[in-house]
Amino acid sequence: MGKEEETEELPERVVDEAERLTRLAREAVGEAEAEAYREDRSERLAEHEFTARVREPDDTLVLHPEEWLEDGVVRIERIEDTSRAVERTLSGPEDPDDWAAVEAHNAAVVERVAAEHGEPHRANARAFADFMGNHYAKRVEDATADEVAEFLEEYFPRNAWPSEEQRDAVTASVRLVTESADDFPPS
């Protein structure tokens, strides 16, 4: 085991394998085969005290600590650090290099927003970039009106843990992200 893996709560190789097994379960011919893939995924994640679920509305694999569950339900009061969860879109590109390029672009846009507008726009821009990258594997400027609405109405209030200042500024922040991204040359 490499030094980097020893410090990771959920090693990247385990996340990749969980995603692969989830995709195989979806493509399985029969329910027994699908269940075998899901059991394999569960066993691998259990070694790190994590569990998996697929969030259907945005087709995302969510891996999170088992300790967040009580009787199979995530208990919000048990979540101290949302960054411990890992999300992988199941609808976006399977090539991690494509996702990495999207993330690099979106991170650059976030940095521009931060440099030009500071807080709370930086935090909101990062939340929007995470949403677009993790849920749709898309650059922030490629967001559709429906995706922006989903971010503002569903993702942001539930997943960004926004302060009152962030909530008050989020619509302006998304506009700033889009304007900043429009200045980037196409890759």
Side-chain angles (χ1 to χ4, degrees):
M1 190 181 269
K3 187 173 184 173
E4 184 175 306
E5 284 186 15
E6 290 174 13
T7 62
E8 291 180 6
E9 186 169 17
L10 189 61
E12 190 66 25
R13 64 179 166 65
V14 176
V15 174
D16 291 343
E17 189 62 10
E19 180 182 1
R20 185 184 76 79
L21 291 166
T22 301
R23 290 180 187 278
L24 287 172
R26 288 178 154 199
E27 297 165 3
V29 176
E31 184 53 34
E33 180 185 5
E35 185 56 32
Y37 287 127
R38 287 190 291 266
E39 283 180 28
D40 188 3
R41 179 187 68 193
S42 293
E43 290 171 7
R44 291 168 189 257
L45 291 171
E47 291 175 12
H48 300 275
E49 298 178 354
F50 268 67
T51 189
R53 71 180 180 89
V54 175
R55 190 172 53 224
E56 297 298 334
D58 60 2
D59 200 30
T60 300
L61 175 65
V62 180
L63 309 175
H64 60 80
E66 290 175 344
E67 67 195 48
W68 292 2
L69 295 175
E70 181 178 303
D71 299 324
V73 177
V74 173
R75 305 298 302 184
I76 300 297
E77 65 273 8
R78 291 184 172 193
I79 302 172
E80 292 180 19
D81 180 7
T82 58
S83 69
R84 293 178 65 201
V86 177
E87 296 184 354
R88 288 277 179 95
T89 183
L90 297 171
S91 299
E94 291 185 43
D95 183 353
D97 290 337
D98 290 346
W99 182 88
V102 166
E103 173 54 25
H105 170 81
N106 289 349
V109 173
V110 169
E111 289 307 311
R112 178 177 280 181
V113 169
E116 294 177 2
H117 306 285
E119 291 295 343
H121 300 296
R122 183 212 53 82
N124 290 345
R126 184 68 259 170
F128 186 57
D130 288 344
F131 170 76
M132 288 305 298
N134 293 336
H135 294 270
Y136 294 103
K138 291 170 73 174
R139 294 162 55 132
V140 288
E141 66 270 26
D142 294 335
T144 66
D146 286 344
E147 290 163 352
V148 170
E150 179 185 353
F151 170 75
L152 293 172
E153 296 165 15
E154 297 176 29
Y155 180 89
F156 185 75
R158 294 182 186 151
N159 299 300
W161 300 77
S163 66
E164 186 175 336
E165 184 182 23
Q166 284 176 266
R167 283 192 299 273
D168 291 345
V170 69
T171 302
S173 299
V174 171
R175 182 180 45 75
L176 292 171
V177 167
T178 305
E179 290 171 0
S180 294
D182 285 343
D183 293 338
F184 275 81
S187 57

